[in-house]
Amino acid sequence: MNEKIIKHFKQTSRFTYAGPYKEEFMALPDDIKELGNLVCSQIIHRITLQDGNTNANADLRYGDMERYPWYRMRCEDDVFLTAVSMAAELFRMDERGFVSDRAVEHKLVLCCRYVSVLMTSILKAKGYAARCRAGYAPYFTNGISMDHWITQYYDEKANRWVTIDADGFFDEAEIGFDQYDMPEGSFDFAAQNWLAVRRGEVDGSKFIYADGRGTNSLKALGLYLFYDFNAIMNCELTFSFVPYLWAHFDELTEQDLQEIDKVATYMSDPDVNFDQLKNIWENEPKWRLFSSPLVGEGDYKHLM
């Protein structure tokens, strides 16, 4: 692997910076599975909380949801955006920090993006080249692929990226693979599937973005292509940020779609095409401009 790329992915972002928790992160287990299970033990997914002690939590693998206080937020995605803020809250609620027996009432309620950011931050603190990845998971529900974030770290001995999913205690027999060494093809990356849908090779309706509106196909894949591109550039945006391209998706021309095709082609192998992606990041504003609750398109219209 090119040393420039390794160096890039060892760097932290505003989201994955460990700050005062770097030594704490470094002291966490070195075994990836043990580490992933420990991270998972600190967090409840909002869907798990919503389902209570049914479905994936029928055996209480995530704890007894009836113990979760009614007055706590049911989703804390807009509160703990960074690894530092997540770690601080974990220590605030339980001074022992990262512990496998964390009480349900002291867990954070966060979705996959935050697990990916926290896991990536810990791996970077330990000296790994690591990165968040955004795409779609076909292993949750048969026939559909739900939007999801995972993590990759570079194994220098094996000379390869290892793909892991620490956002759950998954049954290997059920999903068909080891969640801490996911085989190629087990995760639906946005770039490859954008191109496959554009070529008519794959039914885009199976890719579902969980926004409550039934958003699927190219619009869903386009959003996660944007998130994945930004994550590759060490900018792991949250769902409060709305990409310019996605906000105007229904207005895109064929020429616009072909521009997205170009980025998707590069993103299909981000290591081989790293220089091209970096050039887009540094010179094409539409790929890194977004709206948020306090920032509208008028704030950057002069750049388009």
Side-chain angles (χ1 to χ4, degrees):
M1 177 63 68
N2 187 310
E3 282 301 315
K4 177 180 67 176
I5 297 175
I6 292 295
K7 181 179 179 180
H8 171 79
F9 288 114
K10 285 187 175 182
Q11 295 173 348
T12 60
S13 69
R14 69 188 71 183
F15 300 110
T16 59
Y17 175 61
Y21 297 99
K22 184 173 182 177
E23 290 189 5
E24 174 66 29
F25 287 0
M26 291 172 63
L28 293 176
D30 291 324
D31 179 81
I32 298 298
K33 181 175 182 178
E34 184 181 356
L35 175 62
N37 286 338
L38 182 61
V39 168
C40 187
S41 297
Q42 315 309 303
I43 296 171
I44 303 169
H45 194 286
R46 64 181 180 84
I47 299 300
T48 302
L49 180 59
Q50 184 181 87
D51 288 347
N53 298 333
T54 65
N55 296 331
N57 195 44
D59 57 2
L60 303 186
R61 67 182 66 182
Y62 299 103
D64 184 355
M65 294 301 120
E66 293 184 4
R67 293 179 54 186
Y68 188 81
W70 63 267
Y71 50 83
R72 281 273 310 276
M73 296 181 71
R74 311 294 290 184
C75 181
E76 299 172 315
D77 286 12
D78 291 331
V79 181
F80 305 112
L81 305 183
T82 67
V84 167
S85 63
M86 286 183 263
E89 182 67 357
L90 289 172
F91 275 94
R92 186 186 75 84
M93 291 191 292
D94 188 327
E95 292 182 350
R96 297 176 300 161
F98 288 77
V99 289
S100 59
D101 62 343
R102 176 172 288 272
V104 168
E105 56 269 31
H106 295 153
K107 294 186 178 186
L108 303 179
V109 181
L110 298 167
C111 74
C112 53
R113 178 264 175 195
Y114 300 80
V115 177
S116 176
V117 165
L118 184 56
M119 191 72 181
T120 300
S121 178
I122 295 169
L123 290 168
K124 286 177 183 284
K126 287 179 172 290
Y128 285 99
R131 59 197 188 190
C132 297
R133 297 299 305 269
Y136 287 80
Y139 44 89
F140 293 144
T141 305
N142 289 334
I144 64 174
S145 197
M146 296 297 300
D147 64 292
H148 195 47
W149 288 64
I150 54 172
T151 301
Q152 291 180 318
Y153 71 92
Y154 194 73
D155 184 334
E156 296 194 20
K157 290 183 179 179
N159 193 32
R160 69 183 180 96
W161 286 102
V162 180
T163 302
I164 64 176
D165 186 349
D167 188 41
F169 299 114
F170 304 133
D171 187 331
E172 185 173 343
E174 291 182 3
I175 64 175
F177 54 84
D178 179 357
Q179 70 186 89
Y180 292 107
D181 191 356
M182 298 167 62
E184 186 174 351
S186 58
F187 186 76
D188 290 333
F189 289 100
Q192 291 93 325
N193 286 286
W194 167 278
L195 293 170
V197 172
R198 284 275 287 159
R199 292 191 296 259
E201 299 170 355
V202 173
D203 179 3
S205 66
K206 76 172 187 175
F207 300 102
I208 309 293
Y209 173 48
D211 60 353
R213 302 183 185 91
T215 300
N216 62 15
S217 198
L218 287 178
K219 189 170 186 179
L221 289 165
L223 176 62
Y224 266 67
L225 176 59
F226 173 91
Y227 284 142
D228 200 30
F229 168 72
N230 277 261
I232 288 293
M233 292 294 111
N234 284 331
C235 182
E236 304 85 3
L237 295 174
T238 72
F239 307 114
S240 296
F241 302 114
V242 180
Y244 174 86
L245 285 168
W246 195 71
H248 292 269
F249 189 85
D250 295 333
E251 305 165 18
L252 297 181
T253 65
E254 179 58 28
Q255 182 177 347
D256 294 326
L257 295 173
Q258 289 176 11
E259 285 188 43
I260 299 175
D261 291 345
K262 179 185 71 173
V263 176
T265 300
Y266 292 150
M267 281 295 295
S268 294
D269 195 334
D271 298 322
V272 169
N273 302 308
F274 184 80
D275 288 339
Q276 291 93 326
L277 293 169
K278 191 72 178 294
N279 182 62
I280 292 170
W281 172 255
E282 293 175 347
N283 296 292
E284 297 188 25
K286 68 177 65 175
W287 280 94
R288 59 188 298 189
L289 293 178
F290 51 82
S291 300
S292 65
L294 295 178
V295 176
E297 289 185 17
D299 292 282
Y300 56 73
K301 191 173 183 179
H302 63 289
L303 297 171
M304 301 304 296

